[in-house]
Amino acid sequence: MESLRELFANPGANDLPMLHPTIGRAMTLRSARPRHCTPDTPIVFVHHGVNRNGDDYRDYWLPLVDEADVMVIAPEFPGEGFPGSSWYNYGNRTDEHGADKPEAEWTYGIDAAIFAALRHQGLTNRTKYGMFGHSAGGQFVHRMLSLGFRAQVACAVTANAGSYALPDLDTPWPFGLAGTGLDTEALKAWLGFRLTVMAGTADNDPDSSNLPREPLSMAQGTNRYDRAHHFIRTARARADLLGLHCAWTIIDVAGVNHDGNRMSAAAAPILSAALHAA
């Protein structure tokens, strides 16, 4: 991967055009660098929503990174190269016929690849990173983690996602984990991971734009707030059946609707505390 040093060039906003390391399609990395930044500063990957507006999501974090003492990198997946939910929310895991694609073609590997390059280039000494995703980015984050892309993830927040891959080996992907090759042991490991689900209490409009309305999405609830709680209930019920503790938590963010800015502000202290304790 090309040098990522430009992401750290100046305090505040930095941008770096790049090619996806395994797919070769053009994308942009956006960063929010705190004023005091060293190779020991924790890294947080921030994932944008359906509008593919990584610049906005980076900007949401600009006033947060100094107090949180984190370095934010927001990979931006333009719609031209990564079209629709299949390429972003669902990670390009399958083709239009539902057949599995090689893992190297999945977009879910982006954070791990960037983090490996940061370490190789001496830009970070950290061994683990944090993740935040809102809306479609929340879908991207939790599905990525469900498939096992979490070896170096210390903590993660999925916020106001429109639909979920339930921790259920009988419900088909992307609304469950059937067909992914995961087994009960993999499911146990996933339920034991430190995941935080954030739900804006005002994100409860059943007519909200871009709310997924496929039958398996509607089965999760009529709005994003209800779907988040359905996701957690399903996880806890599955953990009970497996005789283990579910490590996932849910946080209601009072009065917030489908607002990536305010959800970022709510997530920042949670991720900061977890990363500085790691």
Side-chain angles (χ1 to χ4, degrees), residues 15-261:
D15 295 320
L16 178 64
M18 64 168 285
L19 298 179
H20 189 284
T22 57
I23 300 173
R25 298 191 177 194
M27 57 186 303
T28 303
L29 300 184
R30 316 280 188 181
S31 70
R33 205 207 88 174
R35 285 190 295 270
H36 177 72
C37 186
T38 76
D40 295 319
T41 300
I43 304 291
V44 176
F45 289 97
V46 168
H47 290 280
H48 57 69
V50 70
N51 291 328
R52 313 302 181 95
N53 50 337
D55 52 349
D56 289 334
Y57 276 82
R58 183 270 311 284
D59 291 352
Y60 297 158
W61 283 78
L62 282 174
L64 307 173
V65 291
D66 286 312
E67 182 175 353
D69 189 23
V70 298
M71 168 72 178
V72 161
I73 298 175
E76 182 176 283
F77 291 88
E80 296 84 358
F82 303 88
S85 297
S86 60
W87 276 85
Y88 183 48
N89 312 26
Y90 308 154
N92 195 39
R93 203 190 72 81
T94 61
D95 65 20
E96 63 272 21
H97 305 294
D100 291 350
K101 290 186 175 182
E103 187 173 316
E105 296 182 18
W106 300 359
T107 49
Y108 290 141
I110 189 65
D111 291 3
I114 294 169
F115 190 69
L118 292 173
R119 286 180 51 80
H120 179 72
Q121 295 172 24
L123 297 170
T124 184
N125 295 329
R126 306 292 295 196
T127 58
K128 294 197 172 185
Y129 54 88
M131 298 175 63
F132 171 80
H134 178 258
S135 192
Q139 294 189 47
F140 182 87
V141 164
H142 86 267
R143 288 189 174 95
M144 175 202 294
L145 295 168
S146 75
L147 294 176
F149 292 86
R150 53 181 188 270
Q152 293 180 287
V153 182
C155 51
V157 173
T158 176
N160 288 351
S163 71
Y164 293 87
L166 299 176
D168 177 3
L169 299 177
D170 296 320
T171 300
W173 177 268
F175 305 105
L177 300 178
T180 62
L182 298 181
D183 58 14
T184 299
E185 290 306 308
L187 182 59
K188 288 180 178 179
W190 173 215
L191 291 168
F193 174 79
R194 184 175 180 172
L195 176 70
T196 299
V197 178
M198 299 187 76
T201 60
D203 197 3
N204 57 2
D205 181 1
D207 298 317
S208 175
S209 63
N210 296 314
L211 179 71
R213 291 182 172 81
E214 306 92 340
L216 287 175
S217 291
M218 297 305 296
Q220 297 177 11
T222 61
N223 60 72
R224 294 184 182 91
Y225 179 79
D226 288 349
R227 291 178 187 183
H229 281 268
H230 178 77
F231 184 50
I232 288 290
R233 285 195 302 272
T234 302
R236 291 173 176 168
R238 185 62 59 190
D240 286 345
L241 287 174
L242 295 171
L244 55 89
H245 169 69
C246 179
W248 302 3
T249 58
I250 188 163
I251 297 174
D252 282 354
V253 185
V256 176
N257 55 13
H258 202 61
D259 187 330
N261 194 1

